[in-house]
Amino acid sequence: MTQQSTLDFLSSDFDGFDVHIDSERERADIVLDRPPLNVIAMPQRDDLRQVFEALDAHDDVRVIVLRANGEHFSSGGDIKGFLEASPEHVSKLAWNVAAPARCEKPVIAANRGYTFGVGFELSLACDFRITSETTRYALPEQNLGQIPGSGGSARLQKIIGIARTKHMVMRAKRISGSTALEWGIATECVADGELEAATQSLVDELRRFSPLAQRTAKKLINDNEDASLSVAIEMEGHCYSRLRSSNDFREGVEAFHAKRKASFRGE
């Protein structure tokens, strides 16, 4: 997409969610908006993937936030839609839901209330999860005679281990935002009324750093998820070496010695 076609696409009307771009704060919000429970319909997943890709290419966006209107993030997917969807369509669900992880830019999920099924899977694909005290996370697919199909159990096991993942998946158990923080799922757990302030605070923090260094760090950490320790260390060294020749690294060093705020350009 050209920059103009990206802007035209992002200004479209989307089914089940809205897109807001604040160029001054370099923030883009994808806001789930299908009241009262923000159910995520089957076609919506493909739209969400395309929007993540478009925002990743948007020059004015440094950080992407996934949040929702109302008291619940999402109760999950459209159950009837699974029976109506073709096998080919269903086979693409995990790819669509993984869009936040593929973004080069940082992606924050701001969760409150019910965060179930695909709503939880989308959040797990984000880089940071800020949860409110009202949040309830769950993968309830066992109640339907099914299992998570878009990376839910796989991502969760990497974060919380096999025993806790079996507790949540095989027993369809819900956990609170505070438990999610304790288990390492969430980055922060705040009072419900403080969720937006905490989200904006993290956006501002992430904007301070070099876009190039952040892109490199995100890809390195994601790619090293399944690597051996020796391979991971080797890859880290190569990425470190490349960044040493960047203008951002030079700016960071010069700003440090001059005791001034660095002005990173992502170069």
Side-chain angles (χ1 to χ4, degrees), residues 38 42 53 67 119 125 127 132 163 181 183-184 187 189 195-196 206:
N38 294 321
M42 297 293 280
E53 292 170 352
R67 59 182 179 87
D127 303 304
S132 92
L181 178 64
W183 287 6
T187 306
C189 180
L195 184 59
E196 170 52 31
L206 293 168

Side-chain angles (χ1 to χ4, degrees), residues 124-186:
L124 287 169
C126 297
D127 303 304
F128 305 95
R129 284 160 293 282
I130 301 178
T131 179
S132 92
E133 293 172 345
T134 68
T135 302
R136 295 296 179 269
Y137 289 123
L139 293 169
E141 287 83 358
Q142 290 279 298
N143 292 316
L144 302 174
Q146 189 49 284
I147 64 170
S150 298
S153 59
R155 292 187 190 280
L156 198 59
Q157 185 172 341
K158 294 288 188 181
I159 299 171
I160 65 176
I162 188 170
R164 285 172 170 168
T165 300
K166 285 179 178 178
H167 171 76
M168 291 193 68
V169 174
M170 296 177 68
R171 301 174 69 189
K173 288 293 187 180
R174 302 179 184 183
I175 65 168
S176 66
S178 58
T179 298
L181 178 64
E182 178 187 342
W183 287 6
I185 295 171

Side-chain angles (χ1 to χ4, degrees), residues 79-221:
I79 305 303
K80 186 179 179 181
F82 282 99
L83 297 177
E84 297 173 346
S86 68
E88 182 181 11
H89 190 186
V90 172
S91 71
K92 297 176 181 177
L93 296 183
W95 176 256
N96 290 338
V97 170
R102 291 194 303 274
C103 283
E104 292 186 335
K105 296 170 181 176
V107 184
I108 303 167
N111 299 132
R112 61 160 45 98
Y114 295 160
T115 305
F116 297 165
V118 68
F120 190 20
E121 290 178 308
L122 274 168
S123 300
L124 287 169
C126 297
D127 303 304
F128 305 95
R129 284 160 293 282
I130 301 178
T131 179
S132 92
E133 293 172 345
T134 68
T135 302
R136 295 296 179 269
Y137 289 123
L139 293 169
E141 287 83 358
Q142 290 279 298
N143 292 316
L144 302 174
Q146 189 49 284
I147 64 170
S150 298
S153 59
R155 292 187 190 280
L156 198 59
Q157 185 172 341
K158 294 288 188 181
I159 299 171
I160 65 176
I162 188 170
R164 285 172 170 168
T165 300
K166 285 179 178 178
H167 171 76
M168 291 193 68
V169 174
M170 296 177 68
R171 301 174 69 189
K173 288 293 187 180
R174 302 179 184 183
I175 65 168
S176 66
S178 58
T179 298
L181 178 64
E182 178 187 342
W183 287 6
I185 295 171
T187 306
E188 299 176 57
C189 180
V190 300
D192 195 69
E194 297 173 4
L195 184 59
E196 170 52 31
T199 302
Q200 184 58 47
S201 178
L202 180 54
V203 170
D204 291 338
E205 177 186 333
L206 293 168
R207 289 174 58 210
R208 290 196 303 107
F209 302 114
S210 158
L212 179 60
Q214 282 196 327
R215 291 196 298 270
T216 303
K218 177 170 179 174
K219 189 172 192 313
L220 175 68
I221 294 168

